[in-house]
Amino acid sequence: MSEQYQHRARKRFGQNFLHDAGVIDRILRAIHARPGERMLEIGPGQGALTAGLLGSGAELDVVELDKDLIPILNHQFAGRDNFRLHQGDALKFDFTSLGASPHSLRVVGNLPYNISTPLIFHLLDNAGLIRDMHFMLQKEVVERLAAGPGGGDWGRLSIMVQYHCKVEHLFNVGPGAFNPPPKVDSAIVRLVPHETLPHPAKDHRLLERIVREAFNQRRKTLRNTLKALLSSEAIEAANVDGSLRPEQLDLAAFVRLADKLAEQNGAE
Ligand code: SAM
């Protein structure tokens, strides 16, 4: 990069730039972008992944918050007619403004770790637009996303993301691949929204509520944590053992509890 475009990484924007060519190549191969595909990159930074994505011939929109990176990105890529740059906060970005057809948008990003969970929830609000998502995240977040019931990683994040998506933990990336190196290990995850939900809830906001209440006190039994929402009898009627703790329940069981609550609310 020329002198004119020297950029100092900013902590408050979660900037850890990828510089390991082998890791960049492995990520690009996992994404496998094709000509004409609609892609959205969150936080392109100095363009480590952007260059390869554009080189594939995909139609790429990028959203970058840091104003100081805009000239750096424009200098490298503004000449490409498959590149569109949006300066702003991805958490507030209106994904429908891209005009992508249903299940077409491929979202990628080496995400700033401080916003990764709210950003995933913001994207899931638009799950119908999305074909798949590939993210670099803190390794422990990927472990929670990909967890199954029965262990300490299974919680609100695993359940609400798996309600919408198939989750694959692809590979881990050590701190040395970034500049500056983060203090934690990272991992690449692939999220593929289900075209048809395997366990649709009558009202997904009630599912969110049940899951939040249950995991607020994860050591307590469901009978105890859910008592303001569902009686012991209602829990049993949903075919759930109220003496279990939340981490012992699978997604389908949480959906049965949410549907019981929907039924009960409807009857009031
Ligand atoms: N993709 C680049 C790479 O792999 O080298 C940069 C990754 S860096 C971990 C995260 C990037 O996201 C930074 O460029 C940062 O400025 C940007 N960013 C941080 N918060 C953002 C937000 N709310 N919306 C959009 N971009 C954001």
Tab-separated table of all heavy atoms in Angstrom, residues 72-98:
chain	number	residue	atom	x	y	z
A	72	ILE	N	-9.155	4.106	0.706
A	72	ILE	CA	-8.270	2.947	0.460
A	72	ILE	C	-9.006	1.920	-0.405
A	72	ILE	O	-8.453	1.372	-1.368
A	72	ILE	CB	-7.839	2.310	1.812
A	72	ILE	CG1	-7.005	3.331	2.602
A	72	ILE	CG2	-7.093	1.009	1.597
A	72	ILE	CD1	-6.558	2.837	3.973
A	73	LEU	N	-10.278	1.695	-0.076
A	73	LEU	CA	-11.072	0.725	-0.839
A	73	LEU	C	-11.351	1.256	-2.248
A	73	LEU	O	-11.212	0.520	-3.230
A	73	LEU	CB	-12.384	0.420	-0.095
A	73	LEU	CG	-12.194	-0.411	1.172
A	73	LEU	CD1	-13.427	-0.301	2.075
A	73	LEU	CD2	-11.921	-1.873	0.834
A	74	ASN	N	-11.698	2.548	-2.332
A	74	ASN	CA	-11.981	3.134	-3.646
A	74	ASN	C	-10.752	3.109	-4.537
A	74	ASN	O	-10.835	2.806	-5.729
A	74	ASN	CB	-12.498	4.568	-3.506
A	74	ASN	CG	-14.015	4.579	-3.364
A	74	ASN	OD1	-14.703	3.708	-3.891
A	74	ASN	ND2	-14.529	5.546	-2.625
A	75	HIS	N	-9.605	3.428	-3.943
A	75	HIS	CA	-8.358	3.448	-4.706
A	75	HIS	C	-8.103	2.081	-5.360
A	75	HIS	O	-7.685	1.985	-6.512
A	75	HIS	CB	-7.210	3.814	-3.759
A	75	HIS	CG	-5.867	3.759	-4.398
A	75	HIS	ND1	-5.467	4.662	-5.352
A	75	HIS	CD2	-4.820	2.896	-4.234
A	75	HIS	CE1	-4.235	4.373	-5.739
A	75	HIS	NE2	-3.820	3.295	-5.086
A	76	GLN	N	-8.405	1.016	-4.590
A	76	GLN	CA	-8.138	-0.325	-5.120
A	76	GLN	C	-9.209	-0.822	-6.084
A	76	GLN	O	-8.912	-1.504	-7.049
A	76	GLN	CB	-8.072	-1.341	-3.977
A	76	GLN	CG	-6.902	-1.198	-3.055
A	76	GLN	CD	-6.967	-2.302	-2.003
A	76	GLN	OE1	-6.558	-3.432	-2.230
A	76	GLN	NE2	-7.513	-1.967	-0.849
A	77	PHE	N	-10.482	-0.511	-5.751
A	77	PHE	CA	-11.555	-1.259	-6.425
A	77	PHE	C	-12.575	-0.421	-7.191
A	77	PHE	O	-13.423	-0.993	-7.875
A	77	PHE	CB	-12.328	-2.115	-5.405
A	77	PHE	CG	-11.454	-3.005	-4.566
A	77	PHE	CD1	-11.430	-2.889	-3.179
A	77	PHE	CD2	-10.663	-3.976	-5.160
A	77	PHE	CE1	-10.622	-3.718	-2.405
A	77	PHE	CE2	-9.853	-4.803	-4.402
A	77	PHE	CZ	-9.829	-4.669	-3.013
A	78	ALA	N	-12.524	0.927	-7.060
A	78	ALA	CA	-13.621	1.717	-7.635
A	78	ALA	C	-13.739	1.540	-9.148
A	78	ALA	O	-14.812	1.716	-9.713
A	78	ALA	CB	-13.470	3.191	-7.279
A	79	GLY	N	-12.643	1.122	-9.787
A	79	GLY	CA	-12.684	0.948	-11.236
A	79	GLY	C	-13.449	-0.292	-11.690
A	79	GLY	O	-13.748	-0.437	-12.870
A	80	ARG	N	-13.758	-1.190	-10.735
A	80	ARG	CA	-14.425	-2.447	-11.114
A	80	ARG	C	-15.931	-2.247	-11.188
A	80	ARG	O	-16.536	-1.723	-10.257
A	80	ARG	CB	-14.188	-3.520	-10.039
A	80	ARG	CG	-12.751	-3.657	-9.644
A	80	ARG	CD	-12.141	-4.784	-10.424
A	80	ARG	NE	-10.878	-5.158	-9.837
A	80	ARG	CZ	-10.569	-6.389	-9.491
A	80	ARG	NH1	-11.426	-7.371	-9.646
A	80	ARG	NH2	-9.393	-6.655	-8.979
A	81	ASP	N	-16.542	-2.698	-12.257
A	81	ASP	CA	-17.984	-2.436	-12.344
A	81	ASP	C	-18.812	-3.441	-11.551
A	81	ASP	O	-20.029	-3.309	-11.456
A	81	ASP	CB	-18.468	-2.284	-13.797
A	81	ASP	CG	-18.131	-3.484	-14.640
A	81	ASP	OD1	-17.766	-4.508	-14.045
A	81	ASP	OD2	-18.230	-3.381	-15.878
A	82	ASN	N	-18.165	-4.458	-10.939
A	82	ASN	CA	-18.924	-5.364	-10.057
A	82	ASN	C	-18.746	-4.991	-8.571
A	82	ASN	O	-19.045	-5.782	-7.688
A	82	ASN	CB	-18.533	-6.829	-10.302
A	82	ASN	CG	-17.045	-7.115	-10.145
A	82	ASN	OD1	-16.231	-6.194	-10.179
A	82	ASN	ND2	-16.702	-8.376	-9.978
A	83	PHE	N	-18.271	-3.758	-8.302
A	83	PHE	CA	-17.999	-3.322	-6.922
A	83	PHE	C	-18.877	-2.132	-6.538
A	83	PHE	O	-18.936	-1.137	-7.265
A	83	PHE	CB	-16.532	-2.893	-6.836
A	83	PHE	CG	-16.112	-2.346	-5.493
A	83	PHE	CD1	-16.008	-3.165	-4.385
A	83	PHE	CD2	-15.800	-0.986	-5.341
A	83	PHE	CE1	-15.610	-2.662	-3.148
A	83	PHE	CE2	-15.407	-0.475	-4.113
A	83	PHE	CZ	-15.306	-1.327	-3.019
A	84	ARG	N	-19.592	-2.244	-5.402
A	84	ARG	CA	-20.384	-1.115	-4.890
A	84	ARG	C	-20.093	-0.945	-3.405
A	84	ARG	O	-20.251	-1.892	-2.621
A	84	ARG	CB	-21.889	-1.362	-5.101
A	84	ARG	CG	-22.335	-1.109	-6.539
A	84	ARG	CD	-23.729	-1.612	-6.782
A	84	ARG	NE	-23.809	-3.051	-6.550
A	84	ARG	CZ	-23.510	-3.975	-7.470
A	84	ARG	NH1	-23.141	-3.628	-8.679
A	84	ARG	NH2	-23.589	-5.261	-7.174
A	85	LEU	N	-19.680	0.261	-3.056
A	85	LEU	CA	-19.237	0.534	-1.682
A	85	LEU	C	-20.300	1.338	-0.938
A	85	LEU	O	-20.793	2.344	-1.454
A	85	LEU	CB	-17.925	1.323	-1.772
A	85	LEU	CG	-17.289	1.864	-0.505
A	85	LEU	CD1	-17.007	0.755	0.503
A	85	LEU	CD2	-15.973	2.565	-0.863
A	86	HIS	N	-20.646	0.882	0.270
A	86	HIS	CA	-21.590	1.620	1.112
A	86	HIS	C	-20.857	1.968	2.404
A	86	HIS	O	-20.370	1.061	3.089
A	86	HIS	CB	-22.818	0.764	1.476
A	86	HIS	CG	-23.467	0.131	0.278
A	86	HIS	ND1	-24.569	0.674	-0.330
A	86	HIS	CD2	-23.166	-1.003	-0.407
A	86	HIS	CE1	-24.920	-0.092	-1.347
A	86	HIS	NE2	-24.089	-1.114	-1.416
A	87	GLN	N	-20.771	3.258	2.724
A	87	GLN	CA	-20.162	3.613	3.994
A	87	GLN	C	-21.261	3.673	5.035
A	87	GLN	O	-22.279	4.357	4.833
A	87	GLN	CB	-19.453	4.979	3.876
A	87	GLN	CG	-18.526	5.305	5.047
A	87	GLN	CD	-19.238	5.966	6.210
A	87	GLN	OE1	-20.081	6.851	5.981
A	87	GLN	NE2	-18.941	5.552	7.424
A	88	GLY	N	-21.118	2.937	6.127
A	88	GLY	CA	-22.135	2.986	7.162
A	88	GLY	C	-22.028	1.787	8.089
A	88	GLY	O	-21.105	0.969	7.983
A	89	ASP	N	-23.009	1.716	8.993
A	89	ASP	CA	-23.023	0.685	10.036
A	89	ASP	C	-23.834	-0.514	9.543
A	89	ASP	O	-25.036	-0.379	9.278
A	89	ASP	CB	-23.672	1.312	11.283
A	89	ASP	CG	-23.671	0.367	12.466
A	89	ASP	OD1	-23.375	-0.832	12.288
A	89	ASP	OD2	-23.977	0.840	13.577
A	90	ALA	N	-23.201	-1.662	9.459
A	90	ALA	CA	-23.893	-2.870	8.976
A	90	ALA	C	-25.080	-3.237	9.875
A	90	ALA	O	-26.043	-3.848	9.409
A	90	ALA	CB	-22.914	-4.034	8.897
A	91	LEU	N	-25.019	-2.809	11.158
A	91	LEU	CA	-26.126	-3.131	12.074
A	91	LEU	C	-27.392	-2.367	11.699
A	91	LEU	O	-28.490	-2.747	12.084
A	91	LEU	CB	-25.750	-2.771	13.515
A	91	LEU	CG	-24.729	-3.680	14.181
A	91	LEU	CD1	-24.297	-3.092	15.516
A	91	LEU	CD2	-25.300	-5.078	14.377
A	92	LYS	N	-27.202	-1.256	10.960
A	92	LYS	CA	-28.373	-0.439	10.584
A	92	LYS	C	-28.671	-0.570	9.099
A	92	LYS	O	-29.585	0.070	8.593
A	92	LYS	CB	-28.103	1.036	10.915
A	92	LYS	CG	-27.903	1.257	12.397
A	92	LYS	CD	-27.782	2.733	12.717
A	92	LYS	CE	-27.476	2.929	14.180
A	92	LYS	NZ	-26.444	3.924	14.372
A	93	PHE	N	-27.882	-1.356	8.404
A	93	PHE	CA	-28.015	-1.438	6.944
A	93	PHE	C	-29.308	-2.164	6.570
A	93	PHE	O	-29.654	-3.189	7.154
A	93	PHE	CB	-26.799	-2.179	6.370
A	93	PHE	CG	-26.694	-2.089	4.876
A	93	PHE	CD1	-26.222	-0.934	4.273
A	93	PHE	CD2	-27.069	-3.157	4.077
A	93	PHE	CE1	-26.126	-0.843	2.886
A	93	PHE	CE2	-26.975	-3.074	2.697
A	93	PHE	CZ	-26.501	-1.915	2.102
A	94	ASP	N	-30.015	-1.581	5.574
A	94	ASP	CA	-31.263	-2.197	5.114
A	94	ASP	C	-30.921	-3.162	3.969
A	94	ASP	O	-30.697	-2.740	2.839
A	94	ASP	CB	-32.209	-1.081	4.631
A	94	ASP	CG	-33.462	-1.652	3.994
A	94	ASP	OD1	-33.694	-2.878	4.086
A	94	ASP	OD2	-34.212	-0.859	3.384
A	95	PHE	N	-30.877	-4.458	4.299
A	95	PHE	CA	-30.435	-5.445	3.311
A	95	PHE	C	-31.418	-5.557	2.138
A	95	PHE	O	-31.030	-5.943	1.048
A	95	PHE	CB	-30.211	-6.811	3.970
A	95	PHE	CG	-29.177	-6.752	5.057
A	95	PHE	CD1	-29.532	-6.872	6.395
A	95	PHE	CD2	-27.847	-6.525	4.750
A	95	PHE	CE1	-28.574	-6.776	7.399
A	95	PHE	CE2	-26.884	-6.425	5.737
A	95	PHE	CZ	-27.252	-6.549	7.059
A	96	THR	N	-32.671	-5.174	2.373
A	96	THR	CA	-33.640	-5.272	1.275
A	96	THR	C	-33.319	-4.227	0.186
A	96	THR	O	-33.724	-4.380	-0.954
A	96	THR	CB	-35.094	-5.062	1.762
A	96	THR	OG1	-35.181	-3.746	2.323
A	96	THR	CG2	-35.497	-6.070	2.817
A	97	SER	N	-32.549	-3.164	0.567
A	97	SER	CA	-32.230	-2.115	-0.412
A	97	SER	C	-31.335	-2.649	-1.538
A	97	SER	O	-31.184	-2.001	-2.565
A	97	SER	CB	-31.540	-0.926	0.270
A	97	SER	OG	-30.230	-1.304	0.655
A	98	LEU	N	-30.741	-3.811	-1.347
A	98	LEU	CA	-29.842	-4.356	-2.375
A	98	LEU	C	-30.619	-4.944	-3.549
A	98	LEU	O	-30.045	-5.199	-4.611
A	98	LEU	CB	-28.945	-5.455	-1.772
A	98	LEU	CG	-27.999	-4.978	-0.666
A	98	LEU	CD1	-27.289	-6.170	-0.027
A	98	LEU	CD2	-26.975	-3.990	-1.224
